Every structure is written in C-alpha cells, then in structure tokens.
Amino acid sequence: MTTTDFAAMTGLELMRWVQTERPTDIPSIGRLLGMRFDEVDHGRIVISLDTRPDFANPLGTVHGGIAATLLDSAMGCAVHTTLPAGAGYTTLELKVNYIRAASTDGVTLTAEGTVIHAGRRTATAEGKVLDGQGRLMAHATTTCMIL
C-alpha cells in the first residue's frame, strides 16, 4: 500500500499523481473499470476506458451506468483539481443525457469534465463522453458540495 500523504496535496497535485503513478494497489472505481487519466489540468480532466463484455446491459450494449460513472468521475475530478490541500467534495446532483449506445467489444470511451463554477461551498461542472470515432455518446452536468 502507498504511503503518500493525500491530505497534504492540492486537488490538482493529487489528480496529477494518479495520472502519473497509475496506482494499482488502491481500490477504486477507476481501477475496477480500467479508467485512464489522459489529461489533468486545473478545472479540466479527460478520462478514458475500453468497453468490455462485463459492461453489458440486457440488450448487449454498454450499460448506461458505465457512462454515468465515467461522467461522474471526470466532472468530479475536474472539480477536485480546483481544491486546496485537505479539501474534498461529494456529488450532490448528476444529470445525464444519453445520446447513443456503445458496444462492449473494446471501444474506447473518452470523458471530458470541465468546471463551470468553483465556489467555496459548491461547484458545478459539465461533461461529455465520446466514442472512438468522436461521436457523442452522453453528456451531463453536476453539482458538487465542497467539504
């Protein structure tokens, strides 16, 4: 297990650490789904994953919860990049619009989360998920409470 002091890192430092170190010894939804942190900037995160058969819904396409989780992660982590050391956040509201289905055969889904407003008590962000051909799969907004 890592001995890194996460509480001493700003949100941006922590997200860049995750991007660089790609920790596999820390249980997380990112590890479970195979998320990759492709870009980490102040107020903006790009995360991707490759679909697989385990992501299937009863119709045989990627379950909407995968897109929702990808969006929640990208937007929440984008908010996290704006926070000082020791601060945290939690999702208060998540609104997802689904545009098209994705197949479960290794399609790369890429989510971009961008902060719209970062206040002292709340933050808002928007996000979108694109498939490997750049087609919009889903888009969302979130409100996060700053802790």
Side-chain angles (χ1 to χ4, degrees):
M1 188 63 105
T2 183
T3 59
T4 303
D5 183 5
F6 300 121
M9 301 171 115
T10 67
L12 182 58
E13 290 168 341
L14 178 58
M15 292 297 100
R16 286 188 172 153
W17 179 86
V18 170
Q19 179 187 32
T20 304
E21 296 299 319
R22 300 183 185 266
T24 58
D25 60 338
I26 301 172
S28 69
I29 192 69
R31 183 179 81 171
L32 179 66
L33 297 181
M35 292 181 188
R36 299 176 296 271
F37 282 70
D38 301 325
E39 297 178 39
V40 176
D41 297 304
H42 186 267
R44 182 177 169 275
I45 293 275
V46 177
I47 299 173
S48 62
L49 60 73
D50 298 324
T51 65
R52 58 185 192 250
D54 289 336
F55 293 174
N57 62 25
L59 300 174
T61 59
V62 172
H63 189 282
I66 299 296
T69 300
L70 193 54
L71 285 160
D72 187 42
S73 297
M75 294 183 298
C77 288
V79 166
H80 200 161
T81 66
T82 68
L83 301 179
Y89 71 94
T90 190
T91 301
L92 288 175
E93 178 267 340
L94 176 67
K95 166 67 171 87
V96 180
N97 293 284
Y98 298 98
I99 306 302
R100 65 173 39 90
S103 68
T104 61
D105 61 353
V107 171
T108 299
L109 299 181
T110 303
E112 178 180 0
T114 306
V115 173
I116 298 169
H117 167 75
R120 289 183 309 125
R121 297 178 192 256
T122 62
T124 58
E126 61 188 3
K128 61 185 175 182
V129 175
L130 305 177
D131 70 6
Q133 298 175 344
R135 297 180 301 178
L136 184 65
M137 306 302 291
H139 59 95
T141 56
T142 191
T143 303
C144 296
M145 178 173 60
I146 308 304
L147 306 171

